[in-house]
Structures are given as structure tokens and as C-alpha cells.
């Protein structure tokens, strides 16, 4: 019998659709909180060995201990610490991961920070784009060779947001050195960057065994909103609260689109697609701009190399 299509209401476990991930490894960033937890739970319930990464090792260990008590969880859950706002930490975590694993079959770029006041990462990137985009870009670069070497289908999934429409990409000043900072605008650019990154990575990996997707998970009440009330211009806090009251999903529902992107066989051949509510969707016009995606890739690569060089000199 044909299965009902997945939709807004579907949960992460439903999105598995009976997928068997035994002998597969998933790495989920931000697995200690919010929709990351339900992503880890679902993938481990399908038998995957899941490496949950957490900014705080103890928060990650506590969550992993909790998840292991779930009778549906079949796969092993391991924990690694990483601060995506610190390139040295990203490098160290990738190294620790590769010391134990051959490579991730599923690389889930889920961690994120939203609407914080202007601050900078250890490498001088504005905190939101630095964490949400640059940190994940560096991690992907470090792990891609191992994913290729697996020689079997693998996926990279970037958790973006419908907030990618909040602001365009100011390529000449990604880090607000010479323009007014708005916390919502910066979040918007960082989430636009997630989609452009997925698009360009998919283009670069065309013909390989690795597919790439980006997505909006829905509106879910999680600690992500911790800065919203303090955001400059509190109308944004009011707006998000109002939207949330109408559109709020549970964390189990919030993780469903990520799980769909990670395991759905129906997405084979659709690399580069953007999803919402477990279905392929159309992001903003700017998010579909291939030239912009390529430009962002080049700018990111160059700025990462400059940051590494500055570290080496210091
Ligand atoms: N919730 C929503 O309505 C919504 C809507 C659209 C998109 N999203 C996206 O969904 C993803 C997950 O968000 P969520 O709602 O589940 O939020 P969350 O509960 O706050 O989870 C975010 C995760 O990212 C981690 N993180 C933040 N900064 C980090 C850093 N520098 N290094 C390493 N990890 C870091 C957090 O660690 P700590 O626990 O240490 O803070 C946490 O584990 C994000 O990418 C977000 O943009 C969420």
C-alpha cells in the first residue's frame, strides 16, 4: 500500500519510514539540544551509530546518557566536544572523529545560534555567520575526503531556516566591519549561507556518491530563541512569538525534515534541493542564485585560509 506523504505534522521517527541505518555512522552537530536531540534519537532508533557533538562536553554526555535509556534507540551514541566558533576546535574534533570512525555516512550540520548581539568568533568572524556557516564549512571540508572514501551513498544535510529571507548577502562585508549590525539580519544571512553552501557543495559533488540538502525545520520552541527577547528592536521578539503561537511544532516534528533529508530514498538524484515540512520546496530567489553560491564558496574558502594563516603566525 502506498504510504501517505510526509508533511508538517510528521515526526522524526515517522520520517525514517523503516530505514535501516545499521553499520552507518551519523555525525550530528548541536545534538545536545532542541531538534538535534530528536535527530540523534531517530537516527539511532534506525540503528545508526551516532556521534553527537556538543559545545559543552558534559551537556552532550548528559543528553547521550538520556537517549541511551530510550528503548527504541538501537545504535550506539558517542559524544565529541566542539566549538564551531573556534576553527582550532573544529579541526581537533574532526581529527578525534576520524581517529575512531572511517567517515560519516550522514553529516548533519544542525548546530546554530540566533540573533545574538554583535560579537566575534575566535578567528574574527561575526558570531552568527561564523558559527552557522564558517564553522560548518570548515567541518565539512575536514570530513569530506573520508565521506568520499567510504565509497557508498552519503549525505550532508544543512539545517537552514525560512529566516534566510530576512537579509541578503553583503559579500564585501560579511562580518559587519563597516555597516550597521542587526541581529535578525545577520541570522538571515547566515541561514542564506547554509542554503547557498548546500547548493554549491551539491554542484561540486555532482556524479559522486555524496548528496547534499538544506532545509527549514519549522518553528519550534527551543533554547535557540534565548537572544530574541533581548534583540535590538524588540518588535522582532514580538513577531517571532506571534508566529510561533500559530506555527509551533514539537521538537519531534521539528527534526522530521532533517531526517527526511538524511534518509529518504525519494530524494536520490535531487542533490542541492531545499526542503520544508519533509518535502522539496522553493527557497528565496537569492538562495537559488548559482553565481552567488559560487562566490560565497570562494569568499569563505579564502577567509578561512586567511584565518588559519593568522593563527599560524600568532
Ligand atoms: N527552533 C526553530 O524554530 C528553528 C527554526 C528554523 C531553523 N532552526 C535551526 O535549527 C537548528 C537547531 O536549532 P534548535 O532550535 O534545535 O536550537 P538549540 O536547541 O539552541 O540547538 C542549537 C545547538 O547548536 C549548538 N551551538 C550553538 N553555538 C555553537 C557553537 N559555537 N559550537 C557548537 N555548537 C553550538 C547549541 O549548543 P549549546 O546547547 O551549547 O548552546 C545547541 O546544541 C539551528 O541551526 C537553527 O538555526 C531552528
Amino acid at each position: 500500500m502506498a504510504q501517505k506523504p510526509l508533511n508538517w505534522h510528521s515526526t522524526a521517527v515517522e520520517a525514517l519510514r523503516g530505514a535501516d541505518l545499521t553499520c552507518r555512522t551519523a555525525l550530528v552537530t548541536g545534538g545536545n539540544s532542541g531538534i538535534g536531540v530528536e535527530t540523534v534519537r531517530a537516527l539511532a532508533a534506525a540503528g545508526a551509530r551516532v556521534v553527537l557533538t556538543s559545545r559543552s562536553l558534559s551537556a552532550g554526555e548528559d543528553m547521550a546518557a538520556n537517549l541511551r535509556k530510550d528503548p527504541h534507540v538501537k545504535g550506539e551514541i558517542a559524544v565529541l566536544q566542539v566549538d564551531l566558533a573556534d576553527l582550532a576546535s573544529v579541526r581537533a574534533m574532526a581529527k578525534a572523529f576520524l581517529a575512531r570512525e572511517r567517515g560519516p555516512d550522514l553529516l548533519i550540520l544542525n548546530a546554530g545560534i540566533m540573533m545574538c548581539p554583535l560579537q566575534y568568533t575566535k578567528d574574527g568572524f561575526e558570531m552568527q555567520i561564523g558559527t552557522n556557516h564558517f564553522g560548518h564549512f570548515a567541518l565539512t571540508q575536514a570530513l569530506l575526503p573520508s565521506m568520499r572514501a567510504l565509497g557508498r551513498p552519503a549525505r550532508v544535510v544543512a539545517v537552514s531556516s525560512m529566516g534566510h529571507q530576512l537579509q541578503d548577502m553583503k559579500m564585501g562585508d560579511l562580518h559587519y566591519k563597516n555597516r550597521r549590525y542587526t541581529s535578525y539580519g545577520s541570522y538571515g544571512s547566515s541561514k542564506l549561507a547554509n542554503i547557498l553552501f548546500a547548493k554549491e557543495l551539491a554542484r561540486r559533488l555532482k556524479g559522486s556518491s555524496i548528496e547534499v540538502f538544506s532545509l527549514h525545520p519549522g518553528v519550534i520552541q527551543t533554547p535557540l530563541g534565548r537572544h530574541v527577547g533581548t534583540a535590538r528592536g524588540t518588535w522582532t521578539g514580538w513577531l517571532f512569538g506571534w508566529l510561533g503561537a500559530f506555527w509551533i511544532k514539537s521538537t519531534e516534528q521539528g527534526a522530521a525534515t532533517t531526517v527526511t533529508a538524511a534518509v529518504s530514498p525519494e530524494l536520490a538524484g535531487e542533490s542541492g534541493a531545499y526542503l520544508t515540512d519533509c518535502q522539496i520546496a522553493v527557497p528565496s530567489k537569492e538562495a537559488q542564485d548559482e553565481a552567488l553560491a559560487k562566490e560565497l564558496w570562494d569568499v569563505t574558502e579564502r577567509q578561512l585560509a586567511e584565518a588559519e594563516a593568522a593563527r599560524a603566525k600568532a
Side-chain angles (χ1 to χ4, degrees), residues 30 32-33 35 55 83-84 110-112 160 187 191 218 220 222-224:
N32 65 292
S33 178
I35 63 176
R55 177 159 51 172
D83 181 359
L84 289 162
N110 163 79
S160 175
Y187 181 67
K191 292 285 123 179
I220 309 104
T222 68
L224 186 74

Side-chain angles (χ1 to χ4, degrees), residues 29-36 53-56 59 82-85 109-114 127 131-132 159-162 187 191 194 216-226:
T29 65
N32 65 292
S33 178
I35 63 176
T53 80
S54 179
R55 177 159 51 172
S56 144
V82 71
D83 181 359
L84 289 162
L109 309 174
N110 163 79
I113 185 167
M114 180 172 83
M127 186 59 77
T131 304
N132 301 350
V159 180
S160 175
S161 167
M162 69 175 179
Y187 181 67
K191 292 285 123 179
N194 291 153
H216 167 59
V219 178
I220 309 104
Q221 209 156 10
T222 68
L224 186 74
R226 62 170 74 93

Side-chain angles (χ1 to χ4, degrees), residues 27-285:
L27 188 155
V28 181
T29 65
N32 65 292
S33 178
I35 63 176
V37 175
E38 297 310 320
T39 305
V40 173
R41 190 194 306 278
L43 297 177
R49 173 175 158 70
V50 185
V51 177
L52 165 174
T53 80
S54 179
R55 177 159 51 172
S56 144
L57 188 59
S58 62
E61 295 284 12
D62 287 352
M63 189 50 72
N66 239 323
L67 285 165
R68 289 183 199 115
K69 287 185 202 147
D70 184 328
H72 299 105
V73 163
K74 291 186 281 190
E76 241 181 280
I77 299 175
V79 180
L80 285 175
Q81 190 275 337
V82 71
D83 181 359
L84 289 162
D86 175 358
L87 291 177
S89 171
V90 173
R91 224 182 305 112
M93 188 273 273
K95 194 170 166 200
F97 177 87
L98 292 173
R100 300 185 198 175
E101 316 285 343
R102 283 178 58 211
D105 294 274
L106 302 172
L107 175 57
I108 315 287
L109 309 174
N110 163 79
I113 185 167
M114 180 172 83
M115 289 170 65
C116 59
L118 180 60
Q119 47 194 293
Y120 288 92
T121 70
K122 289 223 167 111
D123 301 280
F125 304 133
E126 183 280 316
M127 186 59 77
Q128 295 193 75
I129 201 162
T131 304
N132 301 350
H133 170 62
F134 279 81
H136 279 140
F137 188 107
L139 176 62
T140 308
Q141 291 293 66
L143 296 179
L144 260 187
S146 69
M147 294 179 80
R148 281 182 190 275
L150 289 173
R152 58 187 183 220
R155 286 186 181 175
V156 178
V157 176
V159 180
S160 175
S161 167
M162 69 175 179
H164 75 270
Q165 303 176 57
L166 285 169
Q167 187 172 279
D168 55 6
M169 214 70 191
K170 297 273 185 285
M171 210 65 82
D173 188 9
L174 289 180
H175 306 292
Y176 295 86
K177 300 287 171 152
N178 296 305
R179 63 184 166 126
R180 192 172 80 89
Y181 176 79
T182 63
S183 57
Y184 60 91
S186 160
Y187 181 67
S189 310
S190 75
K191 292 285 123 179
L192 174 59
N194 291 153
I195 304 177
L196 293 170
F197 162 73
K199 205 168 191 52
E200 176 62 11
L201 182 60
R203 193 187 68 76
R204 287 170 182 251
L205 292 173
K206 206 167 175 210
S208 80
S209 53
I210 307 170
E211 294 187 300
V212 192
F213 300 97
S214 63
L215 64 105
H216 167 59
V219 178
I220 309 104
Q221 209 156 10
T222 68
L224 186 74
R226 62 170 74 93
H227 296 293
V228 172
T230 60
R232 249 180 127 192
T234 47
W235 68 270
T236 45
W238 177 85
L239 178 68
F240 273 78
W242 185 80
L243 289 175
F246 285 94
W247 287 346
I248 230 149
K249 286 184 181 183
S250 66
T251 44
E252 290 86 348
Q253 291 169 324
T257 306
T258 305
V259 171
T260 302
V263 306
S264 171
E266 287 160 29
L267 291 175
E270 301 285 356
S271 188
Y274 169 79
L275 281 74
T276 62
D277 297 335
C278 306
Q279 302 293 332
I280 292 182
V282 182
S284 69
K285 210 167 148 217

